[in-house]
Amino acid sequence: MKKYLFASMAFLLLTASCNSNTWDVTNDLSIDATDPTIGLTPLAQQPGMDKAPLYWSLYGALRQQEKEGSFPNIFTEDDWDKAIDYVATNLKPYGYDMLVTDGFASMSGDDGYMTRYSRTQKDENSPEVPLTTIVAKLKAKGLKLGVYDSPFWLHYTNPNAIIPGTDGITVASLRYDPKKDTDVLHPNKNDQFGWVLTDHPGAEQYFEGFFKHYSDLGVKFIRMDFLSWYEDGMNYTDQIDRGYGRERYVKGLQWINKYAQKYGIYVSLVMPHLKNNALLEQYAGNMVRIDADVLEGSWYRFSENNRGSLRGGWPNSENAFDGFINWSKISGRKKVRLDGDFIRIESFANDDEKMSAVSLPLMAGGPISVTDMPTGNNLKFFQNEELLALQKDGFVGQPLERNFWNANGEIWYGQMSDGSWIIGLFNREQTPATRSLELQKIGLNSNWSVRDLWKHADEGVINGKVEVIVPAHGCKIIKLTKK
């Protein structure tokens, strides 16, 4: 607690003297009356929880249906069979071991927790696919299920279902009650989800039941979305939801930290404001989203969308490159990992852009989340074993400087556990550019053998400096081994 108060005082002094801190727009240490992390251990410090995953997501298929307005969006058992075969054949040999559901489709259950996913036909009255069926299909091919869900959400057909571990408290009683919950931020807005109010009796037992439910199913990865809508109802500058307040949000994330550890669940936090420099999210998530949704992809979404603009809430950055640069300050081994959202590889204009889109998340220690079903030349970008070795090692790099505009923000580096170094030289600009790095800037000297991880070629020995011409929107990823 004493350390937290000193940090608060230091920040106040900094802002008083500078009156500007554009690189830390979310660093508002006055927002919590007390340190909400007291007594918590970061999820990333748990055994086996210190790596970002390699996985395939339903996002692409469901997003396309959403765009076409072909309601209801569906992912049938046949769709699952095709996706599972695709992943087992093309991605599993390279370390991708999980398929993950997403939004845009029916998510239902009887007692508060999701047990069924997606309608089987374009008909709201058609049956839904049981999660147990999906888990069994995946298990048969040596794969796992990850889910898109949240303990802040309720799924029930029976409002009178009793919350496990309570003395008759029903799931419906966890919802907003305008007569009792008079302190919500925007009571005239409508709920976008069946939110759980964490100050209602039975809420903590409901949260624990959520994690036990998925653990019992064999699900060990959960993506929890729309967190900003719960905390204050805000998305960009729009008021979307009622907003249930920081205090309720903090309590929920503290429970997520507690019960994710108890049941061995890997937590991915999506759409968080990341207030207080992600003070609490660093404890409650193994991974956090750090930029706006990928939507249809392209270099614009990856690097150009409102480049250099930071907000104090969700989304802090509107492109993945800015997000990785800015939030590199919180990530590392045994620390939270950064999620730049899905990679829509076919949306990029050329091979240089595609290599950058795969390389940067790996340089930053983030996940590779494939969506769609790329084939041929596009598939090879997800099959580079030399580059995927970074994920297997638990590697986390950082930029030479947290800067959106100069070359130092495009030069990344980090050390593998075997003592070798990985250098990533990127070029966000529209024309080829020289990228150079004096090795002494990262504490290196003497001679180093160089290997290009995309060309799969040794390139001799360097001493003191790396310098290359990088094509527009391209990159060069090299491994330095002590000579």
Side-chain angles (χ1 to χ4, degrees):
M1 182 60 186
K2 188 178 294 185
K3 178 181 178 182
Y4 183 79
L5 291 174
F6 286 159
S8 301
M9 293 174 65
F11 175 72
L12 292 173
L13 289 172
L14 175 65
T15 53
S17 60
C18 300
N19 199 32
S20 174
N21 188 8
T22 55
W23 277 108
D24 291 296
V25 293
T26 56
N27 192 2
D28 177 9
L29 289 173
S30 65
I31 197 165
D32 294 311
T34 59
D35 182 353
T37 68
I38 291 174
L40 306 183
T41 302
L43 294 185
Q45 293 183 12
Q46 303 306 302
M49 294 291 185
D50 185 32
K51 293 181 182 178
L54 305 176
Y55 69 94
W56 185 88
S57 170
L58 277 65
Y59 177 89
L62 296 170
R63 169 71 185 169
Q64 184 60 35
Q65 293 180 60
E66 183 78 3
K67 281 186 64 183
E68 293 169 353
S70 117
F71 189 79
N73 303 330
I74 60 173
F75 205 81
T76 66
E77 286 194 46
D78 285 344
D79 293 330
W80 277 107
D81 290 337
K82 292 174 186 175
I84 291 168
D85 286 343
Y86 173 84
V87 173
T89 301
N90 298 296
L91 297 174
K92 184 186 173 188
Y94 300 90
Y96 301 81
D97 63 353
M98 182 169 61
L99 283 76
V100 182
T101 65
D102 206 271
F104 306 117
S106 171
M107 300 166 60
S108 70
D110 300 316
D111 59 0
Y113 306 122
M114 179 171 66
T115 56
R116 300 179 295 274
Y117 180 79
S118 170
R119 297 288 175 184
T120 53
Q121 300 175 30
K122 292 287 186 181
D123 177 357
E124 276 292 282
N125 296 314
S126 68
E128 296 164 297
V129 183
L131 289 182
T132 51
T133 299
I134 300 168
V135 168
K137 288 176 179 290
L138 287 160
K139 188 175 181 180
K141 292 294 183 77
L143 296 165
K144 299 178 294 188
L145 176 66
V147 298
Y148 174 93
D149 199 2
S150 172
F152 286 105
W153 297 345
L154 290 160
H155 310 281
Y156 59 81
T157 55
N158 176 19
N160 297 316
I162 304 301
I163 300 167
T166 68
D167 185 15
I169 300 176
T170 65
V171 291
S173 71
L174 298 178
R175 296 198 67 162
Y176 169 69
D177 183 343
K179 295 179 180 178
K180 295 189 298 184
D181 303 310
T182 57
D183 60 342
V184 300
L185 301 179
H186 303 279
N188 293 326
K189 288 289 182 179
N190 293 322
D191 274 339
Q192 304 300 314
F193 297 92
W195 295 115
V196 174
L197 272 70
T198 57
D199 57 346
H200 283 202
E204 181 171 0
Q205 292 91 332
Y206 177 83
F207 266 61
E208 178 172 7
F210 173 91
F211 286 98
K212 184 179 186 302
H213 166 70
Y214 281 119
S215 180
D216 289 347
L217 275 172
V219 171
K220 297 295 184 178
F221 176 89
I222 304 178
R223 296 185 72 239
M224 303 176 185
D225 204 354
F226 295 101
L227 295 173
S228 60
W229 291 13
Y230 185 84
E231 184 174 3
D232 64 8
M234 295 298 294
N235 186 51
Y236 290 86
T237 57
D238 298 326
Q239 187 67 50
I240 304 294
D241 215 312
R242 288 192 174 97
Y244 290 103
R246 177 73 176 177
E247 186 175 341
R248 291 188 180 96
Y249 175 73
V250 164
K251 186 176 292 186
L253 261 65
Q254 290 170 334
W255 293 338
I256 288 171
N257 173 272
K258 178 179 179 180
Y259 293 114
Q261 291 186 54
K262 180 174 179 178
Y263 293 98
I265 305 291
Y266 190 104
V267 174
S268 173
L269 302 177
V270 184
M271 283 182 61
H273 284 309
L274 300 177
K275 294 180 179 180
N276 288 8
N277 263 331
L279 176 72
L280 185 55
E281 288 84 359
Q282 292 182 62
Y283 284 75
N286 299 88
M287 190 161 74
V288 295
R289 267 281 299 283
I290 42 79
D291 66 305
D293 291 8
V294 67
L295 301 181
E296 276 57 67
S298 78
W299 185 261
Y300 176 77
R301 302 296 302 184
F302 178 71
S303 178
E304 295 303 311
N305 188 15
N306 275 338
R307 179 177 172 179
S309 174
L310 281 178
R311 291 190 183 87
W314 174 262
N316 308 127
S317 303
E318 288 196 56
N319 68 78
F321 216 122
D322 281 2
F324 281 122
I325 291 173
N326 182 46
W327 289 104
S328 63
K329 59 190 174 182
I330 68 170
S331 192
R333 292 183 187 266
K334 298 294 182 182
K335 294 183 179 180
V336 70
R337 299 305 180 105
L338 309 180
D339 177 10
D341 210 12
F342 311 113
I343 300 176
R344 308 203 70 168
I345 202 72
E346 295 177 352
S347 71
F348 293 95
N350 53 48
D351 284 2
D352 291 321
E353 291 186 356
K354 293 169 186 177
M355 285 189 286
S356 292
V358 172
S359 298
L360 183 60
L362 290 170
M363 285 298 307
I368 297 296
S369 45
V370 185
T371 193
D372 309 318
M373 292 186 183
T375 58
N377 185 63
N378 285 322
L379 183 58
K380 73 179 184 183
F381 295 100
F382 298 115
Q383 298 175 330
N384 183 341
E385 291 183 285
E386 290 195 73
L387 204 60
L388 291 173
L390 275 64
Q391 184 271 344
K392 293 178 176 63
D393 183 74
F395 174 91
V396 185
Q398 60 183 304
L400 199 60
E401 181 184 338
R402 282 175 54 233
N403 192 304
F404 298 143
W405 294 105
N406 72 23
N408 285 345
E410 299 168 35
I411 298 173
W412 285 66
Y413 68 97
Q415 189 173 27
M416 300 281 277
S417 58
D418 65 2
S420 61
W421 288 80
I422 308 296
I423 310 295
L425 306 157
F426 295 87
N427 178 11
R428 302 178 72 177
E429 312 311 326
Q430 305 294 328
T431 56
T434 299
R435 294 288 179 262
S436 62
L437 173 64
E438 299 283 350
L439 295 184
Q440 64 180 5
K441 287 187 176 181
I442 60 173
L444 304 184
N445 50 38
S446 71
N447 297 324
W448 296 83
S449 297
V450 181
R451 182 168 178 81
D452 188 302
L453 300 187
W454 278 109
K455 294 179 180 178
H456 308 296
D458 295 325
E459 296 187 335
V461 177
I462 60 169
N463 185 333
K465 185 178 183 179
V466 176
E467 184 168 276
V468 297
I469 296 176
V470 182
H473 299 179
C475 67
K476 185 177 181 69
I477 312 298
I478 59 174
K479 182 176 184 178
L480 304 183
T481 306
K482 196 68 176 285
K483 179 67 174 174

